[in-house]
Each structure stands twice: as structure tokens, then as C-alpha cells.
């Protein structure tokens, strides 16, 4: 970046999503100075098997950070934070990649979060009825790490299990590469590995499910040193990592977060004073962060533990220190939208029409579909919500994560005719959005029944940039929706980790009563970030303090 202010302090946030790596240079007050991104490879060797390369991911991280900080005095970069998908990285005793599929390609050493190969193992773990399942909604998901580990042991005993020296969540792999420290984040261990902050690893759990060999050498393969998110890891950047990233050795590195949790951290502390929102001057526990991209995560926090059937958690300090996290979710959101739209017979025609309408603006097919549905509402004199009243989608094409917690469920479409026009495609797209929004409502109702008091939704992620997705969610839930004015909230969440590790701030936590507290990141670094919305059928917009307000109806 050219022309950096000589007296400015910067933090770097790195986000490894499902299909790409992104990085941002963030100022002390939370402004994004610059961002950049690169795609990463995904291989699907078998149905429901999705793998990646940890070497490629780290190389892309280094490339982006170097590009991002060109022209910046490296002494101005005080800290770096990483977030990533909760994928499983397998390394040998010398920290080299170990293949996780039968073709033996060594670089394919990451079992992705959305890999569902371990459904049978997850079902068997659930059948044990172990007490640890109580912190996972009562049901083990194939997206957790324990069933994936069990699958590797049972199916790749010689080529993978016997060779493996270290199993790491991808966020922890990144902090390891940056520092050389094997310290694991409590976010990853608690949310995906059954770790309990107060009691540590539960020996009986691993023994009961057939992974007793992981107890060896004080759990060295899965981690025996932990840290709260944002606390400094090791001595900061190692000499090698500093050279790879183009930063100074010793630059602070914060303990990492799962990507959805970074997004939650990036939005949930928004200052909304004076906007007459129901969460104003109330605890953070009245807010839910909805991180919506390839999949969706519904993050709700509470002062005490709340056990919600079919919803992951409660997890202590997994996102916000000293607060309990419940995590609902949908395994396929943006991915389902792509599947429905791109698989339709009229998709080629849609692409052509989209290019004709937006030839030079970079708009894509979803912008065209949104506009097309707007035209259909005028032509049919019908609200957009009612256009598809005879077409219905059950959205669990990749199983149901929450609250039914059934990975074996499959999707369906009811009400199809023989017609395959662009109008039909638009209505199928609309029905998919409505199905996803109803899934969010189902999760909200389940959490409310268990004791949560959620009054406002805070959205971030790629789908939060789709106005129809947002509006349908507002109309379906009947709750106000808050969108970040700075749209890259996940990157801000990652940068917050680096800021906390740098000692520039004493805490991540925002006063639990909902009021500002001093020298605290969630209020200090984010005051100017939020753009608040509610959805409304009439789209009656007002602007208050740079915040857009829409009002949702059901």
C-alpha cells in the first residue's frame, strides 16, 4: 500500500474461507485501509469428500500479506490475527503434510469442514450418549473433528493415521506456521474438538469412541496448550514466518478464531446508540450474529450456559471472553443458492441476460435475478414474498446442522411444472431464499425456547451483500437486521485478534451490560464500522448517522 500515514498503527487480519484467502490492513480505529484476496483449490476425490492443501493455503496467506503491506513501514504493523474454516489439517512428526484420502496425494492433507465422509462415525459417537455430547446439542455432527479422526483411523490406518504426528484445526495451523507454537485456540478446541475449558480433555470420551491412542504423550497430537482468542501466541512471528509474510520478527500474533466466530466478533459489538433498536442499552446477549456465506452460522451468546437441542454449545469464551456461545447453522446456504441457480435449464439464458443488463459494472446473475423479481412483482401486482406461494423448497441438500441436527436429511422442491423459463428460475431462487430464511427462523425459535432473548440480528459475510437475501430474512423473522457499513466484518474480527495480542488493548470484551468500557476493542476499534438495516417490503429508507434503516414485516 502506497502513501501510508507515518504515525498510523496497523493490524493485519487474514481470513481463510472455503474457497479463498483474504487479508486486510486495518487501522487502530477499525478502518480498512486495503484488502486483497486469492482463490484456493478444493478437490473432491469422492462424493462428500472435500480436501485442500495446507501448504497452498499458507503460501497464499504469505503472498497476500506481503502485497498488502507494500509501502508500509513494518514497525507500524503491530499485530496479526488469523481466522479460518474449521477444517482438519494432518501433519507428520516433522510437520510435513500427510494425505487424507486413498489416492495418497501428500499435498491433499486437509479434510474440509464441509466434508461429510464421517457420517457413520458421527452416528456411532452419538449412540454412546457420552456427556460431552451435551455441549453439542446432543448430536455429533460429521463436521466436528472427532468423527473425521475416527474415519481416518478406520480407513487410512497405515497411510495417514500411523504417519500423523499432529492434528490441527486450520486456524491453529495458521498460528503455528506464524509462530512455531502448537498452542491451540479455545475457540477451535471447545467448538470442534469437545474440549472443556474448566476440565480439559475428557479421557473417557476419546476412549469410548475408539480414539484412546490420542491420549498418548499428554494429548500431544491434538494439543495440550491452550489460549483464549486474541491472547499472544508464542513470541510473535518467527524469523521464518516474518520473512515469508514480509513483516518484522516478533510482530504479535493473536490466538486464532474459526471464520464464523471472527465474523461474529467483527459485528456483535456495534455501537447502535440513538437508533431505537431493541438491543440498545441492553446486553450483548440480546444480539445474534448471522454469518452467511457458503454456509451460515447463527451465533448467540449468554451470561450463563444454555443447552439448546440440536444447536452446538454452550461454549465458554469461544467467541467473546467470559460469555457462553451457542452456534446454530445451515450447512449449505450460498452453496445451495448456486446449486439451484446454476443447475437450472435456464441458467445459460440468465447469464446472457445478466451480461446484457450489467455489461461493465461487475454485477452478477443474482443482481439480475433480484431485479427480475422486482419486475415480476410489478407485473403481477404481488409482494415479492407471495410470488412463489405455490413453489416450496426444503433446503437440507447437505443435511440439517440445526436445529434438527440430522446430516442424513436431504432437500426437495415441491410445486415444479414442466416450464423452464427465466421466470421459473427466478421463482426457484426466491423459494430457496425463503427456505433458508425459514431455517433461520426455526433456529431462532429453538434458541428462544431454550432461554435466549434475541431482539436483533447482526449480519456479515458474502450473502449479507445480497439485498433480497437480507430483506427475506427480515420479513421472515420479524426482527431488525443490522449490516456492517464496513462490509468485511470477518477481516475486522481477525484484525481484532492481532490488536489484542499487540497489547494496544487490554481486552476484547465489551461491558456485558451493553455500555462502553475503556480501552476495549469491541467498542474502540469498531465505532465507525456499522451500517444498520431492517428489511421492509416498501423499502422505506431513512439515513441516521450514516446508518441505513429498513423495517421488516412478516
Amino acid at each position: 500500500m502506497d502513501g501510508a500515514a507515518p504515525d498510523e498503527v496497523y493490524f493485519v487480519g487474514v481470513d481463510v474461507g472455503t474457497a479463498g484467502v483474504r487479508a486486510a490492513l486495518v487501522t487502530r480505529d477499525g478502518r480498512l485501509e486495503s484488502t486483497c484476496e486469492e482463490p484456493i483449490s478444493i478437490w473432491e476425490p469422492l462424493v462428500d469428500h472435500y480436501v485442500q492443501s495446507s501448504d497452498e493455503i499458507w503460501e497464499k496467506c504469505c503472498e497476500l500479506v506481503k502485497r498488502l503491506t507494500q509501502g508500509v513501514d513494518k514497525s507500524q504493523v503491530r499485530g496479526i490475527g488469523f481466522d479460518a474454516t474449521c477444517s482438519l489439517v494432518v501433519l507428520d512428526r516433522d510437520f510435513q503434510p500427510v494425505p487424507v484420502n486413498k489416492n495418497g496425494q501428500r499435498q491433499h492433507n486437509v479434510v474440509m469442514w464441509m466434508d461429510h465422509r464421517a457420517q457413520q462415525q458421527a452416528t456411532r459417537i452419538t449412540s454412546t450418549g457420552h456427556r460431552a455430547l451435551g455441549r453439542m446439542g446432543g448430536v455429533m455432527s460429521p463436521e466436528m473433528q472427532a468423527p473425521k479422526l475416527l474415519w481416518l483411523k478406520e480407513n487410512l490406518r497405515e497411510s495417514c493415521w500411523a504417519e500423523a504426528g499432529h492434528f490441527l484445526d486450520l486456524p491453529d495451523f495458521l498460528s503455528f506456521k506464524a509462530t512455531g507454537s502448537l498452542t491451540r485456540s479455545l475457540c477451535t478446541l471447545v467448538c470442534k474438538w469437545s474440549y472443556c475449558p474448566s476440565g480439559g480433555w475428557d479421557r473417557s470420551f476419546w476412549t469410548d469412541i475408539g480414539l484412546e491412542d490420542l491420549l498418548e504423550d499428554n494429548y500431544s497430537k491434538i494439543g495440550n496448550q491452550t489460549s483464549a482468542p486474541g491472547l499472544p501466541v508464542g513470541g510473535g512471528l518467527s524469523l521464518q514466518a516474518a520473512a515469508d509474510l514480509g513483516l518484522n520478527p516478533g510482530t504479535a500474533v493473536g490466538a486464532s478464531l474459526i471464520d464464523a466466530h471472527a465474523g461474529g466478533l467483527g459485528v456483535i459489538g456495534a455501537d447502535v446508540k440513538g437508533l431505537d433498536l431493541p438491543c440498545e442499552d441492553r446486553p450483548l446477549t440480546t444480539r445474534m450474529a448471522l454469518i452467511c456465506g457458503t454456509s451460515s452460522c447463527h451465533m448467540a451468546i449468554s451470561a450463563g450456559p444454555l443447552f439448546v437441542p440440536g444447536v452446538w454449545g454452550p461454549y465458554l469464551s469461544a467467541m467473546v471472553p467470559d460469555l457462553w456461545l451457542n452456534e446454530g447453522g445451515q450447512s449449505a446456504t450460498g452453496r445451495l443458492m448456486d446449486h439451484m441457480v446454476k443447475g437450472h435449464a435456464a441458467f445459460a439464458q440468465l447469464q446472457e441476460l445478466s451480461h446484457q443488463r450489467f455489461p461493465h459494472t461487475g454485477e452478477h446473475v443474482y443482481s439480475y435475478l433480484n431485479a427480475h423479481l422486482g419486475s415480476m412483482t410489478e407485473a403481477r401486482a404481488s409482494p415479492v414474498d407471495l410470488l412463489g406461494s405455490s413453489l416450496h423448497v426444503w433446503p437440507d441438500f447437505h443435511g440439517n446442522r440445526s436445529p434438527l441436527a440430522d446430516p442424513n436429511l436431504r432437500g426437495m422442491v415441491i410445486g415444479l411444472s414442466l416450464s423452464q423459463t427465466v421466470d421459473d428460475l427466478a421463482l426457484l431462487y426466491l423459494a430457496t431464499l425463503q427456505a433458508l430464511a425459514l431455517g433461520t427462523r426455526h433456529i431462532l425459535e429453538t434458541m428462544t425456547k431454550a432461554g435466549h432473548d434475541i431482539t436483533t440480528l447482526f449480519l456479515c459475510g458474502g450473502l449479507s451483500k445480497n439485498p433480497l437475501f437480507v430483506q427475506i430474512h427480515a420479513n421472515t423473522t420479524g426482527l431488525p437486521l443490522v449490516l456492517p457499513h464496513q462490509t468485511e466484518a470477518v477481516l475486522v474480527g481477525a484484525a481484532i485478534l492481532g490488536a489484542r495480542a499487540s497489547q494496544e488493548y487490554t481486552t476484547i470484551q465489551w461491558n456485558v451490560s451493553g455500555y462502553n468500557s475503556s480501552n476495549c476493542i469491541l467498542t474502540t476499534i469498531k465505532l465507525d464500522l456499522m451500517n444498520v438495516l431492517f428489511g421492509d417490503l416498501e423499502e422505506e429508507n431513512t439515513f441516521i448517522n450514516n446508518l441505513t434503516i429498513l423495517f421488516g414485516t412478516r
Side-chain angles (χ1 to χ4, degrees):
M1 184 187 74
D2 297 327
D7 57 348
E8 183 62 87
V9 169
Y10 297 106
F11 307 102
V12 173
V14 179
D15 164 48
V16 179
T18 299
V21 179
R22 302 182 303 152
L25 192 66
V26 182
T27 63
R28 189 196 303 267
D29 61 357
R31 290 180 294 105
L32 267 70
E33 286 287 326
S34 58
T35 63
C36 51
E37 60 184 290
E38 286 285 341
I40 50 178
S41 304
I42 299 173
W43 294 277
E44 187 180 1
L46 296 169
V47 174
D48 278 342
H49 290 226
Y50 298 93
V51 299
Q52 291 181 312
S53 164
S54 64
D55 281 352
E56 181 193 27
I57 290 169
W58 179 246
E59 288 167 4
K60 292 294 178 71
C61 291
C62 296
E63 177 185 333
L64 291 180
V65 174
K66 277 186 173 180
R67 186 191 313 169
L68 193 70
T69 56
Q70 286 179 352
V72 176
D73 185 333
K74 300 308 183 286
S75 66
Q76 293 176 261
V77 180
R78 302 292 177 81
I80 183 170
F82 297 91
D83 73 73
T85 63
C86 49
S87 300
L88 176 65
V89 180
V90 185
L91 304 175
D92 66 17
R93 292 162 185 80
D94 296 320
F95 303 101
Q96 298 304 305
V98 175
V100 294
N101 40 317
K102 293 181 180 179
N103 62 21
Q105 294 189 48
R106 184 162 287 274
Q107 292 303 311
H108 296 180
N109 70 313
V110 179
V111 183
M112 292 185 67
W113 67 268
M114 62 184 184
D115 187 303
H116 279 197
R117 70 179 73 179
Q119 288 191 26
Q120 292 184 5
Q121 287 76 14
T123 299
R124 296 206 317 263
I125 293 172
T126 298
S127 70
T128 67
H130 194 278
R131 58 179 176 266
L133 297 170
R135 300 190 297 274
M136 306 172 194
V139 179
M140 177 59 73
S141 166
E143 296 177 15
M144 297 287 188
Q145 306 301 13
K148 292 175 180 175
L149 292 166
L150 188 56
W151 189 95
L152 293 174
K153 180 178 180 179
E154 292 177 346
N155 293 273
L156 300 175
R157 182 179 289 271
E158 297 302 323
S159 62
C160 177
W161 192 255
E163 296 296 320
H166 305 278
F167 299 103
L168 300 100
D169 225 272
L170 182 53
D172 293 324
F173 167 80
L174 297 175
S175 60
F176 159 71
K177 289 293 288 186
T179 66
S181 170
L182 286 169
T183 297
R184 317 299 175 99
S185 170
L186 284 174
C187 175
T188 59
L189 289 194
V190 171
C191 294
K192 305 301 173 185
W193 295 73
S194 80
Y195 187 86
C196 180
S198 60
W201 293 114
D202 189 327
R203 296 176 62 89
S204 66
F205 172 73
W206 297 105
T207 300
D208 287 358
I209 68 173
L211 291 176
E212 62 281 351
D213 32 354
L214 293 179
L215 277 60
E216 296 173 1
D217 194 21
N218 191 27
Y219 303 95
S220 63
K221 289 186 177 181
I222 58 175
N224 50 33
Q225 301 176 54
T226 65
S227 176
L231 291 184
V233 178
L237 289 181
S238 67
L239 290 172
Q240 183 61 58
D244 292 341
L245 294 161
L247 297 175
N248 288 338
T251 299
V253 178
S256 57
L257 282 170
I258 299 167
D259 56 347
H261 301 63
L265 187 64
V267 297
I268 206 164
D271 184 357
V272 296
K273 286 188 178 297
L275 298 174
D276 295 324
L277 292 172
C279 65
E280 184 176 345
D281 293 334
R282 296 194 62 197
L284 286 180
T285 54
T286 62
R287 306 178 178 201
M288 171 183 277
L290 172 53
I291 299 85
C292 39
T294 304
S295 62
S296 289
C297 294
H298 303 69
M299 321 293 277
I301 51 180
S302 56
L306 295 175
F307 293 86
V308 186
V311 172
W312 297 341
Y315 304 133
L316 180 61
S317 297
M319 185 172 76
V320 180
D322 302 321
L323 292 178
W324 295 82
L325 173 69
N326 283 109
E327 180 185 348
Q330 293 163 303
S331 293
T333 308
R335 187 162 170 246
L336 176 63
M337 292 163 56
D338 287 344
H339 176 76
M340 301 296 264
V341 171
K342 294 180 180 179
H344 196 276
F347 179 63
Q349 184 184 1
L350 171 66
Q351 287 181 300
E352 182 179 347
L353 291 169
S354 176
H355 180 70
Q356 291 174 2
R357 181 158 185 168
F358 308 111
H360 305 297
T361 62
E363 298 283 347
H364 48 58
V365 293
Y366 292 111
S367 297
Y368 182 88
L369 284 171
N370 290 349
H372 191 77
L373 286 167
S375 299
M376 291 175 69
T377 63
E378 295 177 6
R380 302 187 185 188
S382 169
V384 67
D385 301 71
L386 301 181
L387 283 178
S389 57
S390 62
L391 185 63
H392 308 283
V393 172
W394 183 264
D396 296 326
F397 284 59
H398 199 51
N400 182 285
R401 186 187 297 170
S402 306
L404 301 180
D406 186 349
N408 297 306
L409 278 178
R410 290 297 177 260
M412 67 177 75
V413 182
I414 301 172
L416 290 173
S417 72
L418 293 176
S419 180
Q420 294 182 321
T421 67
V422 171
D423 278 4
D424 297 307
L425 172 50
L427 292 176
L428 181 61
Y429 162 65
L430 173 62
T432 303
L433 294 186
Q434 291 172 325
L436 293 168
L438 286 166
T440 290
R441 181 172 164 182
H442 193 188
I443 292 167
L444 276 166
E445 290 173 345
T446 304
M447 286 189 172
T448 299
K449 187 175 180 180
H452 281 282
D453 179 22
I454 298 163
T455 66
T456 312
L457 302 183
F458 290 71
L459 271 66
C460 68
L463 291 180
S464 68
K465 303 171 188 177
N466 182 325
L468 187 58
F469 178 91
V470 174
Q471 180 173 319
I472 294 297
H473 268 72
N475 295 346
T476 302
T477 64
L479 294 180
L481 269 61
V482 182
L483 301 183
H485 178 66
Q486 177 52 260
T487 57
E488 304 298 348
V490 177
L491 285 168
V492 172
I496 285 174
L497 301 173
R500 171 65 184 91
S502 73
Q503 309 299 320
E504 293 280 331
Y505 299 90
T506 58
T507 179
I508 287 176
Q509 174 66 292
W510 188 23
N511 188 302
V512 72
S513 67
Y515 296 96
N516 292 358
S517 56
S518 62
N519 201 25
C520 156
I521 301 173
L522 282 186
T523 54
T524 306
I525 200 172
K526 293 180 32 51
L527 286 177
D528 299 323
L529 291 183
M530 299 311 299
N531 187 357
V532 181
L533 297 123
F534 296 62
D536 176 83
L537 288 176
E538 288 89 25
E539 296 192 5
E540 179 183 337
N541 297 343
T542 55
F543 290 87
I544 303 176
N545 297 334
N546 262 345
L547 306 180
T548 307
I549 309 295
L550 301 168
F551 294 91
T553 58
R554 285 171 68 170

